[in-house]
Amino acid sequence: MAVEHTGTGDPTRSMALLWRAADREGRSGLSVDRIVATAIEIADTDGLGALSMRRVAERLGVGAMSLYTYVPGKGELVDLMIDQVLGEIDRPALPGGWRAKLEHVARANLALYRAHPWLLQVGTARPPMGPNLLAKYDYELGALDGTGLSDVDIDTLLTAVLAYVTGAGQAAVEAAQAPARSGMSDDQWWEVQGPLLEKVFDPQRFPLAARVGAAAGEAYGLGDPDRAFDFGLQRLLDGIEAFIGKR
């Protein structure tokens, strides 16, 4: 569930900051870039819920009011953080067809979620229109350019792929964080839950859950986010291939 939303700050200030229309370095060594980098470090380590202007100021060793000369508030700061990390996505010129290119787009976005899990805590229905976001969008659209699809179809299919990656990214991040948050590995958790479940579970009442769950558990335990991502991505690309064929 999102804990922050983009687009909550002053739109004029956010746009100017995103495009660095008036960035400068002050006597204290502060700059928009340094403030944003520090905020990202905090969010990467402790999550977006731990982020505040005061926390950033403390990390930088300055008074909180000093930050407001550069960034008006947390709303604008979150916009800047989003655009900054989007610039980390690798955008090579890929050979081959649309499928290989779109697969690269999906995997690059999943890697970004793993590097910055706090991205999954931000609602981006109104994304920050910064240079990195637009560069990312332009590059990713290129995966389907030349397929004969309409511009609207290209945008819609890209949106579908990115939505799939967001869901898979959520599962991957939760699986990676579960041992630290619970203090137990998956095997340790199941050693506790398994015997308890056996006492209450009736396989005749839930025959499909018993059959399929047993097969899946034997194959990959509690779950394998990488396997699930790969399988789902290929089926999604299969569907896009069929859609392109109809056009």
Side-chain angles (χ1 to χ4, degrees), residues 49-130:
L51 180 68
S52 67
M53 297 294 280
R54 182 175 297 278
R55 180 81 180 275
V56 174
E58 290 174 353
R59 180 72 64 89
L60 289 169
V62 300
M65 294 305 296
S66 301
L67 300 188
Y68 294 103
T69 303
Y70 301 88
V71 181
K74 189 175 179 181
E76 293 85 358
L77 181 58
V78 170
D79 286 353
L80 292 166
M81 292 166 62
I82 294 287
D83 194 68
Q84 183 68 27
V85 298
L86 293 184
E88 298 176 8
I89 290 185
D90 189 27
R91 296 192 286 268
L94 294 175
W98 67 265
R99 186 165 181 138
K101 294 175 182 177
L102 203 53
E103 183 169 345
H104 170 78
V105 167
R107 295 189 184 282
N109 277 272
L110 180 64
L112 189 69
Y113 285 132
R114 282 177 160 155
H116 304 288
W118 56 268
L119 284 169
L120 294 163
Q121 298 176 295
V122 184
T124 56
R126 298 175 179 178
M129 295 297 178

Side-chain angles (χ1 to χ4, degrees), residues 94-95 97-109 139-145 147 149 154 157-162 165 229 233 236-237 240-241 244:
L94 294 175
W98 67 265
R99 186 165 181 138
K101 294 175 182 177
L102 203 53
E103 183 169 345
H104 170 78
V105 167
R107 295 189 184 282
N109 277 272
Y139 173 82
E140 292 174 345
L141 289 172
L144 289 165
D145 192 30
T147 56
L149 297 174
I154 289 174
L157 288 173
L158 175 61
T159 299
V161 171
L162 295 181
V165 177
F229 174 79
L233 177 61
L236 180 56
L237 295 177
I240 294 174
E241 186 170 4
I244 293 174

Side-chain angles (χ1 to χ4, degrees), residues 16-28:
L17 288 166
L18 284 165
W19 292 85
R20 299 298 194 273
D23 194 16
R24 61 184 176 80
E25 184 173 312
R27 292 181 180 178
S28 61

